[in-house]
Amino acid sequence: MDEDGTRKHLQATIIVVVNAAASTSFDECYECALKVNALSAQATAELAASCEHLDCLVHVSTAYTGANLNLEGMVPEQLHGYALNCGTGSGNGSGQSKVPHSADTFSVAEEVDLTLRARASGASDEDSKQLGITRARELRYLETYTLTKSMGEMLVSQVARKARIPTAIIRPNIVEGTWEESIPGWIEGNKSADPIITLYGRGQIPGFPFKR
């Protein structure tokens, strides 16, 4: 079955779409984090919206998308972030931003163009990582990960509202290794709670520290 045939088959048969794909590195190259955490989330939502028998779209986000708000206590279950120009095209083609890079509004398209212009000027992977960190701090996020995951929520929400499809955005505190599939106990990377899990699995610590 070719790509077009596969897409038509999915559109005709899928009833639930769960998007849990993400780049979880805090200092990922900016363009990669944008593609995986924001643009891919939008594309998945658009596919879900085209499904004939869709019951629900579930988008797995992160509890830290609202970290830029400096909230205390209970964080309301609502969309966080800024006024977002959600266009994801290639801007106006002139290399000039149509939306100011401010802490009040930003455009995903302009952020993508920013990364493309940086690469065209000879930016390295390390430069791209620093660009993501810089943009995150300018927009009052902790790092590239929470910024791009917040963008993903906004883009998914925009598609869902326009298409009027049932959508749930869930925000786990942490996502860790697998239970059985694809490999029992599989962990990618060494971040968040991974070091503790790894040390426990090796018998180097007796248990998991936790606080009630």
Side-chain angles (χ1 to χ4, degrees), residues 4 8 18 23 28 40-41 47 66 83 89 92 116 155 167-168 177 179 184 187 194 198 209:
D4 186 57
K8 289 180 179 178
V18 179
S23 170
E28 181 67 86
S40 293
L47 173 63
N92 58 11
L116 293 176
L155 293 171
T167 302
W179 178 253
I187 292 177
D194 297 340
T198 302

Side-chain angles (χ1 to χ4, degrees), residues 8-87:
K8 289 180 179 178
H9 174 71
L10 294 175
Q11 291 169 328
T13 57
I14 284 179
I15 58 174
V16 175
V17 174
V18 179
N19 178 38
S23 170
T24 57
S25 295
F26 294 156
D27 62 347
E28 181 67 86
C29 290
Y30 196 25
E31 69 266 34
C32 180
L34 280 169
K35 288 176 183 177
V36 177
N37 294 339
L39 301 184
S40 293
Q42 180 188 34
T44 302
E46 289 171 346
L47 173 63
S50 71
C51 293
E52 301 168 14
H53 308 291
L54 185 76
D55 284 340
C56 186
L57 163 64
V58 180
H59 176 65
V60 181
S61 186
T62 173
Y64 307 104
T65 54
N68 61 306
L69 303 179
N70 295 319
L71 298 175
E72 295 183 2
M74 298 293 290
V75 177
E77 292 188 0
Q78 62 190 38
L79 290 173
H80 310 312
Y82 300 90
L84 176 67
N85 179 339
C86 284

Side-chain angles (χ1 to χ4, degrees), residues 97-179:
S97 174
K98 294 183 291 185
V99 179
H101 288 168
S102 72
D104 299 314
T105 180
F106 64 91
S107 159
V108 175
E110 296 303 329
E111 294 301 309
V112 171
D113 283 348
L114 185 64
T115 66
L116 293 176
R117 292 196 298 272
R119 284 296 189 184
S121 67
S124 65
D125 285 351
E126 194 60 39
D127 293 330
S128 181
K129 290 181 180 182
Q130 189 56 52
L131 176 61
I133 294 170
T134 298
R135 288 299 293 143
R137 290 174 180 172
E138 288 175 352
L139 294 166
R140 299 194 297 269
Y141 284 89
L142 296 176
E143 16 61 9
T144 310
Y145 171 67
T146 50
L147 168 60
T148 53
K149 288 295 284 186
S150 184
M151 288 183 187
E153 281 195 11
M154 297 177 207
L155 293 171
V156 167
S157 177
Q158 185 196 48
V159 173
R161 285 197 301 266
K162 184 176 181 180
R164 297 184 178 181
I165 56 175
T167 302
I169 294 176
I170 60 176
R171 295 180 178 135
N173 291 329
I174 192 170
V175 176
E176 282 301 335
T178 61
W179 178 253

